[in-house]
Coordinates of all heavy atoms in Angstrom, one line a residue:
A559 N 127.4 247.4 223.5 CA 127.6 248.6 222.7 C 126.6 249.6 223.1 O 125.5 249.3 223.7 CB 127.4 248.3 221.2
R560 N 126.9 250.9 222.9 CA 126.0 252.0 223.3 C 125.5 252.7 222.0 O 126.2 252.7 220.9 CB 126.8 253.0 224.1 CG 127.3 252.5 225.4 CD 128.2 253.5 226.1 NE 129.1 252.9 227.0 CZ 128.8 252.8 228.3 NH1 127.7 253.2 228.8 NH2 129.7 252.2 229.1
P561 N 124.3 253.3 222.1 CA 123.7 254.0 220.9 C 124.8 255.1 220.5 O 125.4 255.8 221.3 CB 122.5 254.7 221.5 CG 122.1 253.7 222.6 CD 123.3 253.3 223.2
G562 N 124.9 255.2 219.2 CA 125.8 256.2 218.6 C 127.3 255.7 218.5 O 128.1 256.4 217.9
E563 N 127.6 254.6 219.0 CA 128.9 254.1 219.1 C 129.3 253.3 217.8 O 128.5 252.8 217.1 CB 129.0 253.1 220.3 CG 130.4 252.5 220.6 CD 130.4 251.7 221.9 OE1 129.8 250.7 221.9 OE2 131.0 252.2 222.9
T564 N 130.6 253.3 217.5 CA 131.1 252.5 216.4 C 131.8 251.3 217.0 O 132.7 251.4 217.9 CB 132.1 253.2 215.5 OG1 131.4 254.4 215.0 CG2 132.7 252.4 214.4
V565 N 131.5 250.1 216.6 CA 132.1 248.9 217.2 C 132.9 248.2 216.1 O 132.5 248.3 214.8 CB 131.1 247.9 217.8 CG1 130.4 248.5 219.0 CG2 130.0 247.5 216.8
R566 N 133.9 247.4 216.5 CA 134.7 246.7 215.5 C 134.3 245.2 215.6 O 134.1 244.6 216.6 CB 136.2 246.8 215.9 CG 137.1 246.0 215.0 CD 138.5 246.2 215.5 NE 139.3 245.1 214.9 CZ 140.4 245.3 214.3 NH1 140.9 246.5 214.2 NH2 141.1 244.3 213.8
I567 N 134.1 244.6 214.4 CA 133.8 243.2 214.3 C 134.9 242.6 213.4 O 135.2 243.1 212.4 CB 132.4 243.0 213.6 CG1 131.3 243.6 214.5 CG2 132.2 241.5 213.3 CD1 129.9 243.7 213.9
E568 N 135.4 241.5 213.9 CA 136.5 240.9 213.2 C 136.0 239.5 212.7 O 135.6 238.7 213.4 CB 137.7 240.7 214.1 CG 139.0 240.3 213.4 CD 140.2 240.4 214.2 OE1 140.3 239.5 215.1 OE2 141.0 241.3 214.1
V569 N 136.1 239.3 211.3 CA 135.6 238.1 210.7 C 136.9 237.3 210.4 O 137.8 237.7 209.8 CB 134.9 238.4 209.4 CG1 134.5 237.1 208.7 CG2 133.6 239.2 209.6
V570 N 137.0 236.1 211.0 CA 138.1 235.2 210.8 C 137.7 234.2 209.7 O 136.7 233.5 209.8 CB 138.4 234.4 212.1 CG1 139.6 233.5 211.8 CG2 138.8 235.4 213.2
V571 N 138.5 234.1 208.6 CA 138.3 233.2 207.5 C 139.5 232.3 207.4 O 140.6 232.6 207.7 CB 138.1 234.0 206.2 CG1 136.8 234.8 206.3 CG2 139.3 234.9 205.9
A572 N 139.2 231.0 206.9 CA 140.2 230.0 206.7 C 140.2 229.5 205.3 O 139.1 229.4 204.7 CB 140.0 228.9 207.7
N573 N 141.3 229.2 204.8 CA 141.4 228.6 203.4 C 142.1 227.2 203.6 O 143.3 227.2 203.9 CB 142.3 229.5 202.5 CG 142.5 228.9 201.2 OD1 141.9 227.9 200.8 ND2 143.4 229.5 200.4
D574 N 141.4 226.2 203.4 CA 141.9 224.8 203.5 C 142.5 224.3 202.2 O 142.9 223.2 202.1 CB 140.9 223.8 204.1 CG 140.6 224.2 205.5 OD1 141.4 224.7 206.3 OD2 139.4 223.9 205.9
D575 N 142.4 225.1 201.1 CA 142.8 224.7 199.8 C 144.3 224.8 199.7 O 145.0 225.5 200.4 CB 142.0 225.5 198.8 CG 142.1 224.9 197.4 OD1 142.5 223.8 197.2 OD2 141.6 225.6 196.4
A576 N 144.8 224.2 198.5 CA 146.3 224.3 198.3 C 146.6 225.5 197.5 O 147.8 225.7 197.1 CB 146.6 223.0 197.5
R577 N 145.7 226.4 197.2 CA 146.0 227.6 196.4 C 145.4 228.8 197.1 O 144.4 228.7 197.9 CB 145.6 227.5 195.0 CG 144.1 227.5 194.7 CD 143.8 227.3 193.2 NE 142.4 227.3 193.0 CZ 141.6 228.4 192.9 NH1 142.2 229.6 192.9 NH2 140.3 228.3 192.6
P578 N 145.8 230.0 196.9 CA 145.3 231.2 197.6 C 143.9 231.5 197.0 O 143.6 231.1 195.9 CB 146.2 232.3 197.2 CG 147.1 231.8 196.2 CD 147.0 230.4 196.1
H579 N 143.1 232.1 197.9 CA 141.7 232.5 197.5 C 141.4 233.9 198.0 O 141.9 234.3 199.1 CB 140.7 231.6 198.0 CG 140.7 230.3 197.3 ND1 140.0 230.0 196.1 CD2 141.3 229.1 197.7 CE1 140.3 228.8 195.8 NE2 141.0 228.2 196.7
R580 N 140.5 234.7 197.3 CA 140.1 236.0 197.8 C 138.8 235.8 198.5 O 137.9 235.1 198.1 CB 139.8 236.9 196.6 CG 139.4 238.3 197.0 CD 139.0 239.1 195.8 NE 138.0 238.5 194.9 CZ 136.7 238.5 195.1 NH1 136.2 239.1 196.2 NH2 135.9 237.9 194.3
L581 N 138.8 236.2 199.8 CA 137.6 236.2 200.6 C 137.1 237.6 201.0 O 138.0 238.4 201.4 CB 137.9 235.3 201.9 CG 138.0 233.8 201.5 CD1 139.5 233.4 201.8 CD2 137.0 233.0 202.3
A582 N 135.9 237.8 200.9 CA 135.3 239.1 201.1 C 134.2 238.9 202.2 O 133.5 237.9 202.2 CB 134.7 239.8 199.9
A583 N 134.0 240.0 203.0 CA 133.0 240.0 204.0 C 132.3 241.3 204.0 O 132.9 242.4 203.8 CB 133.5 239.7 205.4
R584 N 130.9 241.3 204.2 CA 130.2 242.6 204.2 C 129.1 242.4 205.2 O 128.4 241.4 205.3 CB 129.5 242.8 202.8 CG 128.7 244.0 202.7 CD 128.0 244.2 201.4 NE 127.0 243.1 201.1 CZ 125.7 243.3 201.4 NH1 125.3 244.4 202.0 NH2 124.8 242.3 201.2
L585 N 129.0 243.4 206.1 CA 128.0 243.4 207.2 C 126.6 243.8 206.5 O 126.5 244.6 205.6 CB 128.3 244.5 208.2 CG 129.6 244.1 209.1 CD1 129.9 245.3 210.0 CD2 129.4 242.9 209.8
V586 N 125.6 243.1 207.1 CA 124.2 243.4 206.7 C 123.4 244.0 207.9 O 122.7 243.2 208.6 CB 123.5 242.2 206.0 CG1 122.1 242.5 205.6 CG2 124.4 241.6 205.0
P587 N 123.6 245.2 208.3 CA 123.1 245.8 209.5 C 121.6 246.0 209.4 O 121.0 246.1 208.3 CB 123.9 247.1 209.7 CG 124.3 247.5 208.3 CD 124.4 246.3 207.5
P588 N 121.0 246.2 210.6 CA 119.6 246.5 210.6 C 119.4 247.9 210.0 O 120.3 248.7 209.9 CB 119.3 246.6 212.1 CG 120.3 245.8 212.8 CD 121.6 246.0 211.9
P589 N 118.2 248.3 209.6 CA 117.9 249.6 209.0 C 118.3 250.7 210.0 O 118.1 250.6 211.2 CB 116.3 249.6 208.8 CG 116.0 248.1 208.7 CD 117.0 247.4 209.6
G590 N 119.0 251.7 209.4 CA 119.4 252.9 210.1 C 120.8 252.7 210.8 O 121.4 253.6 211.3
W591 N 121.4 251.5 210.7 CA 122.8 251.2 211.1 C 123.7 251.3 209.9 O 123.2 251.2 208.7 CB 122.9 249.8 211.7 CG 122.0 249.6 213.0 CD1 120.8 250.1 213.2 CD2 122.4 248.9 214.1 NE1 120.3 249.7 214.4 CE2 121.3 248.9 215.0 CE3 123.5 248.2 214.5 CZ2 121.3 248.3 216.3 CZ3 123.5 247.6 215.7 CH2 122.4 247.6 216.6
A592 N 125.0 251.5 210.1 CA 125.9 251.5 209.0 C 127.0 250.5 209.2 O 127.7 250.5 210.3 CB 126.5 252.9 208.8
G593 N 127.2 249.6 208.2 CA 128.3 248.6 208.3 C 129.1 248.7 207.1 O 128.7 249.2 206.0
D594 N 130.3 248.2 207.1 CA 131.2 248.3 206.0 C 131.6 246.9 205.5 O 131.0 245.9 205.9 CB 132.5 249.1 206.3 CG 133.4 248.5 207.3 OD1 133.1 247.5 207.9 OD2 134.4 249.1 207.6
A595 N 132.5 246.8 204.6 CA 133.0 245.6 204.0 C 134.4 245.6 203.8 O 135.1 246.6 204.0 CB 132.3 245.4 202.6
G596 N 135.0 244.4 203.6 CA 136.4 244.3 203.4 C 136.8 242.9 202.7 O 135.9 242.1 202.7
E597 N 138.0 242.8 202.3 CA 138.4 241.6 201.7 C 139.9 241.4 201.9 O 140.7 242.2 202.2 CB 138.1 241.5 200.2 CG 138.8 242.4 199.3 CD 138.5 242.2 197.9 OE1 137.3 242.3 197.5 OE2 139.4 241.9 197.1
V598 N 140.3 240.1 201.8 CA 141.7 239.6 202.0 C 141.9 238.5 200.9 O 141.0 237.8 200.6 CB 142.0 239.2 203.4 CG1 141.9 240.3 204.4 CG2 141.2 238.0 203.8
T599 N 143.2 238.3 200.6 CA 143.6 237.1 199.9 C 144.3 236.2 201.0 O 145.2 236.6 201.7 CB 144.6 237.5 198.8 OG1 143.9 238.3 197.9 CG2 145.0 236.2 198.1
V600 N 143.8 235.1 201.1 CA 144.2 234.1 202.1 C 145.1 233.0 201.4 O 144.7 232.4 200.4 CB 143.1 233.4 202.8 CG1 143.6 232.6 203.9 CG2 142.1 234.5 203.4
G601 N 146.3 232.9 201.9 CA 147.2 231.9 201.3 C 146.8 230.4 201.5 O 145.8 230.2 202.3
P602 N 147.4 229.5 200.9 CA 147.1 228.1 201.0 C 147.2 227.6 202.5 O 148.1 228.0 203.2 CB 148.1 227.3 200.2 CG 148.7 228.4 199.3 CD 148.5 229.7 200.0
R603 N 146.1 226.9 202.9 CA 146.1 226.4 204.3 C 146.4 227.4 205.3 O 147.2 227.1 206.3 CB 147.0 225.1 204.4 CG 146.5 224.0 203.5 CD 147.4 222.8 203.4 NE 147.0 221.7 202.7 CZ 146.7 221.7 201.4 NH1 146.8 222.8 200.7 NH2 146.3 220.6 200.7
A604 N 145.8 228.6 205.2 CA 146.1 229.7 206.1 C 144.7 230.3 206.6 O 143.7 229.9 206.1 CB 146.9 230.7 205.4
E605 N 144.9 231.2 207.5 CA 143.8 231.9 208.1 C 144.1 233.4 208.1 O 145.2 233.8 208.1 CB 143.6 231.3 209.5 CG 142.7 232.0 210.4 CD 142.6 231.3 211.8 OE1 142.1 230.2 211.9 OE2 143.0 232.0 212.8
A606 N 143.0 234.2 208.0 CA 143.2 235.6 208.0 C 142.0 236.2 208.7 O 141.0 235.7 208.9 CB 143.3 236.2 206.6
R607 N 142.2 237.5 209.0 CA 141.1 238.3 209.7 C 140.7 239.5 208.8 O 141.5 240.1 208.2 CB 141.6 238.8 211.0 CG 142.0 237.6 211.9 CD 142.6 238.1 213.3 NE 143.1 237.0 214.0 CZ 142.3 236.2 214.8 NH1 141.1 236.4 214.9 NH2 142.9 235.2 215.5
I608 N 139.4 239.7 208.8 CA 138.9 240.9 208.1 C 138.3 241.8 209.1 O 137.2 241.5 209.6 CB 137.8 240.4 207.0 CG1 138.4 239.4 206.0 CG2 137.3 241.7 206.2 CD1 137.4 238.8 205.1
P609 N 138.9 243.0 209.3 CA 138.3 243.9 210.3 C 137.2 244.7 209.7 O 137.4 245.2 208.5 CB 139.5 244.8 210.7 CG 140.4 244.7 209.5 CD 140.2 243.4 208.9
L610 N 136.1 244.8 210.3 CA 134.9 245.5 209.9 C 134.4 246.5 211.0 O 134.7 246.2 212.2 CB 133.8 244.6 209.5 CG 134.1 243.6 208.4 CD1 132.9 242.6 208.2 CD2 134.5 244.2 207.1
T611 N 133.7 247.6 210.6 CA 133.2 248.4 211.7 C 131.6 248.6 211.4 O 131.2 248.5 210.3 CB 133.8 249.8 211.6 OG1 133.6 250.4 210.3 CG2 135.3 249.7 212.0
L612 N 131.0 248.7 212.5 CA 129.5 248.9 212.5 C 129.2 250.1 213.4 O 129.6 250.2 214.5 CB 128.9 247.6 213.2 CG 127.4 247.6 213.3 CD1 126.7 247.5 212.0 CD2 127.0 246.5 214.2
R613 N 128.4 251.0 212.8 CA 128.0 252.3 213.5 C 126.5 252.1 213.9 O 125.7 251.9 213.1 CB 128.2 253.5 212.6 CG 127.6 254.7 213.2 CD 128.8 255.6 213.6 NE 128.3 256.9 214.2 CZ 128.7 257.4 215.3 NH1 129.6 256.7 216.0 NH2 128.2 258.5 215.7
L614 N 126.3 252.2 215.2 CA 124.9 252.1 215.8 C 124.4 253.5 215.7 O 125.0 254.5 215.9 CB 124.9 251.7 217.2 CG 125.2 250.2 217.5 CD1 126.6 249.8 217.2 CD2 124.9 249.9 218.9
P615 N 123.0 253.6 215.4 CA 122.4 254.9 215.4 C 122.3 255.5 216.8 O 122.2 254.7 217.8 CB 121.0 254.6 214.8 CG 120.7 253.2 215.0 CD 122.1 252.5 215.0
A616 N 122.2 256.8 216.9 CA 122.2 257.4 218.3 C 120.9 257.0 219.0 O 121.0 256.9 220.2 CB 122.2 259.0 218.1
G617 N 119.9 256.7 218.4 CA 118.6 256.3 219.0 C 118.4 254.8 219.1 O 117.2 254.4 219.3
A618 N 119.3 254.0 219.0 CA 119.1 252.6 219.0 C 118.6 252.1 220.4 O 119.2 252.4 221.5 CB 120.4 251.8 218.8
P619 N 117.4 251.5 220.4 CA 116.8 251.1 221.7 C 117.6 249.8 222.2 O 118.3 249.1 221.5 CB 115.4 250.8 221.4 CG 115.4 250.5 219.9 CD 116.5 251.3 219.3
P620 N 117.5 249.6 223.5 CA 118.2 248.5 224.1 C 117.7 247.1 223.5 O 116.5 247.1 223.1 CB 117.8 248.5 225.6 CG 117.5 249.9 225.9 CD 116.9 250.4 224.6
G621 N 118.5 246.2 223.4 CA 118.1 244.9 222.8 C 119.2 244.1 222.2 O 120.4 244.6 222.3
R622 N 119.0 243.0 221.7 CA 119.9 242.1 221.0 C 119.7 242.2 219.5 O 118.6 242.0 219.1 CB 119.9 240.7 221.5 CG 120.3 240.5 223.0 CD 120.0 239.1 223.5 NE 120.6 238.0 222.7 CZ 121.9 237.6 223.0 NH1 122.5 238.1 224.0 NH2 122.4 236.7 222.3
Y623 N 120.7 242.5 218.7 CA 120.5 242.7 217.3 C 121.5 241.7 216.5 O 122.7 241.9 216.6 CB 120.9 244.1 217.0 CG 119.9 245.2 217.6 CD1 120.2 245.7 218.8 CD2 118.8 245.6 216.9 CE1 119.4 246.6 219.4 CE2 117.9 246.5 217.5 CZ 118.2 247.0 218.7 OH 117.4 247.9 219.3
P624 N 120.9 240.8 215.8 CA 121.7 240.0 214.9 C 122.2 240.8 213.7 O 121.4 241.6 213.1 CB 120.8 238.8 214.5 CG 119.4 239.3 214.6 CD 119.5 240.4 215.7
V625 N 123.4 240.7 213.4 CA 124.0 241.4 212.2 C 124.6 240.3 211.3 O 125.7 239.9 211.5 CB 125.1 242.5 212.6 CG1 125.6 243.2 211.4 CG2 124.5 243.5 213.6
P626 N 123.9 239.9 210.3 CA 124.4 239.0 209.3 C 125.7 239.5 208.6 O 125.8 240.7 208.4 CB 123.3 238.7 208.4 CG 122.0 239.2 209.0 CD 122.5 240.4 209.9
V627 N 126.5 238.5 208.2 CA 127.7 238.8 207.4 C 127.6 238.0 206.1 O 127.5 236.8 206.1 CB 129.0 238.4 208.2 CG1 130.2 238.7 207.4 CG2 129.0 239.1 209.5
D628 N 127.6 238.7 205.0 CA 127.7 238.1 203.6 C 129.2 237.8 203.4 O 130.0 238.6 203.7 CB 127.2 239.0 202.6 CG 125.7 239.2 202.5 OD1 125.0 238.4 203.2 OD2 125.2 240.1 201.8
L629 N 129.4 236.6 202.9 CA 130.8 236.3 202.6 C 130.9 235.9 201.0 O 129.9 235.5 200.4 CB 131.3 235.0 203.3 CG 131.4 235.1 204.8 CD1 131.8 233.8 205.4 CD2 132.4 236.2 205.2
A630 N 132.0 236.1 200.5 CA 132.3 235.7 199.1 C 133.6 235.0 199.1 O 134.6 235.5 199.6 CB 132.3 236.8 198.2
W631 N 133.7 233.8 198.4 CA 134.9 233.0 198.3 C 135.2 233.1 196.7 O 134.5 232.5 195.9 CB 134.6 231.6 198.6 CG 135.6 230.5 198.4 CD1 135.8 229.9 197.3 CD2 136.6 230.1 199.3 NE1 136.8 229.0 197.4 CE2 137.3 229.1 198.6 CE3 136.9 230.4 200.6 CZ2 138.4 228.4 199.3 CZ3 138.0 229.7 201.2 CH2 138.7 228.7 200.5
D632 N 136.2 233.9 196.4 CA 136.4 234.2 195.0 C 135.1 234.8 194.4 O 134.7 235.8 194.9 CB 137.0 233.0 194.2 CG 138.4 232.6 194.7 OD1 139.2 233.5 195.1 OD2 138.7 231.4 194.6
D633 N 134.5 234.2 193.4 CA 133.3 234.7 192.8 C 132.1 234.0 193.3 O 131.0 234.2 192.8 CB 133.4 234.5 191.3 CG 134.4 235.4 190.7 OD1 134.7 236.5 191.2 OD2 135.1 235.0 189.7
T634 N 132.2 233.1 194.3 CA 131.0 232.4 194.9 C 130.5 233.2 196.1 O 131.2 233.4 197.1 CB 131.4 231.0 195.3 OG1 131.9 230.3 194.1 CG2 130.2 230.3 195.9
R635 N 129.3 233.7 196.0 CA 128.7 234.4 197.1 C 128.1 233.4 198.1 O 127.4 232.4 197.7 CB 127.6 235.3 196.6 CG 128.1 236.5 195.7 CD 127.1 237.5 195.4 NE 126.7 238.2 196.6 CZ 125.5 238.4 197.0 NH1 124.5 237.9 196.3 NH2 125.2 239.0 198.2
L636 N 128.2 233.7 199.4 CA 127.6 233.0 200.5 C 126.9 234.0 201.4 O 127.4 234.5 202.4 CB 128.8 232.3 201.3 CG 129.7 231.4 200.5 CD1 131.0 231.1 201.3 CD2 129.0 230.1 200.1
P637 N 125.6 234.3 200.9 CA 124.9 235.4 201.7 C 124.5 234.9 203.1 O 124.1 233.8 203.3 CB 123.7 235.5 200.8 CG 123.5 234.3 200.0 CD 124.9 233.7 199.8
Q638 N 124.7 235.8 204.0 CA 124.4 235.8 205.4 C 124.9 234.4 205.9 O 124.1 233.7 206.6 CB 122.9 236.0 205.6 CG 122.5 237.3 205.1 CD 121.1 237.7 205.6 OE1 120.5 237.1 206.3 NE2 120.6 238.9 205.0
F639 N 126.1 234.1 205.7 CA 126.8 232.9 206.0 C 127.0 232.8 207.6 O 127.0 231.7 208.1 CB 128.1 232.8 205.3 CG 128.8 231.4 205.4 CD1 128.3 230.4 204.6 CD2 129.9 231.2 206.2 CE1 128.8 229.1 204.7 CE2 130.5 229.9 206.3 CZ 130.0 228.9 205.5
R640 N 127.3 233.9 208.2 CA 127.5 233.9 209.6 C 126.8 235.2 210.2 O 126.4 236.1 209.4 CB 129.0 234.0 210.0 CG 129.7 232.7 209.7 CD 129.4 231.7 210.8 NE 130.1 230.5 210.7 CZ 129.6 229.4 210.3 NH1 128.3 229.3 209.9 NH2 130.3 228.3 210.2
E641 N 126.9 235.4 211.5 CA 126.3 236.6 212.1 C 127.0 237.0 213.4 O 127.6 236.1 214.0 CB 124.8 236.5 212.3 CG 124.4 235.6 213.4 CD 122.9 235.5 213.6 OE1 122.1 235.9 212.7 OE2 122.5 235.0 214.7
A642 N 127.0 238.3 213.6 CA 127.5 238.7 214.9 C 126.2 239.2 215.7 O 125.2 239.6 215.1 CB 128.4 239.9 214.8
V643 N 126.2 239.2 217.0 CA 125.1 239.6 217.8 C 125.6 240.8 218.6 O 126.6 240.7 219.4 CB 124.5 238.6 218.7 CG1 123.4 239.1 219.6 CG2 124.0 237.4 217.9
I644 N 124.9 242.0 218.4 CA 125.2 243.2 219.2 C 124.2 243.4 220.3 O 123.0 243.4 220.0 CB 125.3 244.4 218.2 CG1 126.2 244.2 217.0 CG2 125.6 245.7 219.0 CD1 127.7 243.9 217.4
V645 N 124.7 243.7 221.5 CA 123.8 243.9 222.6 C 123.9 245.4 222.9 O 125.0 245.9 223.2 CB 124.2 243.0 223.8 CG1 123.3 243.3 225.0 CG2 124.1 241.6 223.4
V646 N 122.8 246.1 222.9 CA 122.8 247.5 223.2 C 122.2 247.7 224.6 O 121.2 247.1 224.9 CB 121.9 248.3 222.2 CG1 121.8 249.8 222.5 CG2 122.5 248.1 220.8

């Protein structure tokens, strides 16, 4: 990724239960970066994708940046359950 760029991050979620569930994902970006959130209802024994976007600041120095993802399964929060790594 380049400074000032917006990148797309896709979170893949799976539901192994016999009933549908609401799954939500929220990016937890470094200070000065902007990330969004999204949610889907996933049917029984199915998988879905949650598209998210991350905006890098114009002055982001080169490096590797972990971007944690908070998840929620219905009303159960799973903070920083996974992460994406952005290379500038």
